[in-house]
Amino acid sequence: MRADRTAAAPVLQHVRYLIAQRPHLPVAAIARHAGVASSTLKSLLCDARHGPGEERTVSPAIAQRLLSLQLADLPCRERGYGGRSTDAAPAMRHVRALLAAHPALSQAIIARAAGMSPSTLAAALHNVAAGTPRRIQQAAAQQLLALDPDPLLTAAAVRRRDTMELQPVIDHLHALQLRYDRASRAFIARTAVVNPSTLASALLDHSRNPRRGIHTAVGRRILALDELPPPACPRRTQITNTGLLRRLRALCAAGWTLEDIGAAGNISAKTLTAFSAIHHPRSTPAVRGAVLAAWEELSHRPGPSTAARQRARAKGWAPPLAWDNETIDDPATSPSGIRNPSHQPPWNPDLLQHELRFLTRLGLSKAQALKRLGLGTQRAHRILTHSALAA
């Protein structure tokens, strides 16, 4: 053996032990934590798998780095792959005490002072406040607990040169949300290529201290947004819940299932079912945006479902061509060609069978379906057997 080399067997035994204890951790991660090139460690392991032969050797420096690597130095799943980590609760309690005692401080200033990203600190604060277990790097926790508020307050008193006033950004956010349905702050942030937690942290800091600003690049990206893409859609104040329900039923009458409508509007069929099942439905921005988006896409062409068409016909629902944009949202209007759209047709075997098939496909039992339809078991039996007795 060369004088500048050492036996690789003890090193390999130690590395294999580490791999066995962290089976989900890549070999490259072990090499990175030891300060060794991943190709070197992979080559060493690969050579060892080829069986006995000439004794493997390794440089003393590499051997020392790998042998000094302990299990506690490696990230693991239980700690969120955080390496040497600790419970975040004590540090987060200290941070909340600092923020409560000194309103001029911001989460971003505290995070930077502890060598953390603002989004990591915001997530840890949220998890601990919600009672969710959270671990953070041990070094970061120690720095947070050792923070002196006086230097932080000095830094907070001077606005950074790369920040701007936040109030114009807040006004622009409100304007976008008034113009669009389904325009949450997180959606607006993602559209502007901004981390939503960064925007949320800036807004929270501003609520505590109106002098706090926002990074100039982040603020300009949000201010540059003039239009929002789908699923956000322009808010139309004249849209009524009656009009939304008419649109939904008209699409069914055209042969579209709730699954088709939901896919076109980026919403679940279950949500649409819940909206349409209520006697006096009340829409949410998500339902309103979904139904309007589906109406724009599907109302001008027939759907593929015969069952949806038959069910709508049995219930007396008007198709899209029976409505126009000026009257569909007016509860006092009637669809063209329909004598009495508000009149529920009397129960008959065909209508009841269509309803039962539709509701049972949604996962309801027969008893639950009858309850939703407002029918008792005996009355439903009489309706279903009426045609057979008449024949």
Side-chain angles (χ1 to χ4, degrees), residues 245 249 274-282:
L245 189 59
R249 290 175 172 178
F275 169 73
S276 61
I278 304 173
H279 186 59
H280 295 290
R282 296 183 63 183

Side-chain angles (χ1 to χ4, degrees), residues 40-61:
T40 301
L41 182 56
K42 290 179 181 179
S43 177
L44 191 64
L45 291 168
C46 182
D47 290 343
R49 284 198 298 269
H50 290 163
E54 185 179 352
E55 184 180 4
R56 271 77 180 177
T57 60
V58 67
S59 74

Side-chain angles (χ1 to χ4, degrees), residues 5 30 63 77 119 129 154 158 191 231 240 264 286-287 340 356 373:
R5 306 286 289 182
I30 296 176
R77 178 178 293 176
S119 59
T154 302
V158 180
T191 304
T240 64
V287 170
N340 190 0
L356 290 176
L373 296 172

Side-chain angles (χ1 to χ4, degrees), residues 121-242:
L121 178 60
L125 285 168
H126 175 76
N127 289 150
V128 172
T132 305
R134 176 81 185 204
R135 300 184 71 87
I136 59 174
Q137 290 288 336
Q138 197 173 65
Q142 291 172 352
Q143 291 183 53
L144 287 172
L145 291 170
L147 285 177
D148 183 357
D150 291 336
L152 299 179
L153 289 169
T154 302
V158 180
R159 171 172 289 172
R160 289 172 50 183
R161 294 181 180 179
D162 58 353
T163 62
M164 60 179 288
E165 288 283 349
L166 183 57
Q167 192 58 49
V169 177
I170 294 176
D171 295 340
H172 190 62
L173 282 173
H174 290 166
L176 287 174
Q177 290 181 311
L178 287 174
R179 284 173 49 205
Y180 286 89
D181 277 327
R182 307 174 90 175
S184 65
R185 288 177 177 174
F187 176 78
I188 294 173
R190 285 192 293 269
T191 304
V193 197
V194 171
N195 190 325
S197 62
T198 300
L199 177 59
S201 178
L203 293 173
L204 180 60
D205 289 341
H206 184 268
S207 67
R208 291 173 175 156
N209 180 9
R211 295 182 64 254
R212 297 301 305 171
I214 190 171
H215 194 279
T216 303
V218 173
R220 287 176 177 173
R221 287 179 186 175
I222 295 174
L223 290 173
L225 280 181
D226 187 46
E227 296 182 355
L228 296 180
C233 58
R235 179 171 295 176
R236 289 184 271 180
T237 56
Q238 74 276 13
I239 300 298
T240 64
N241 291 326
T242 299

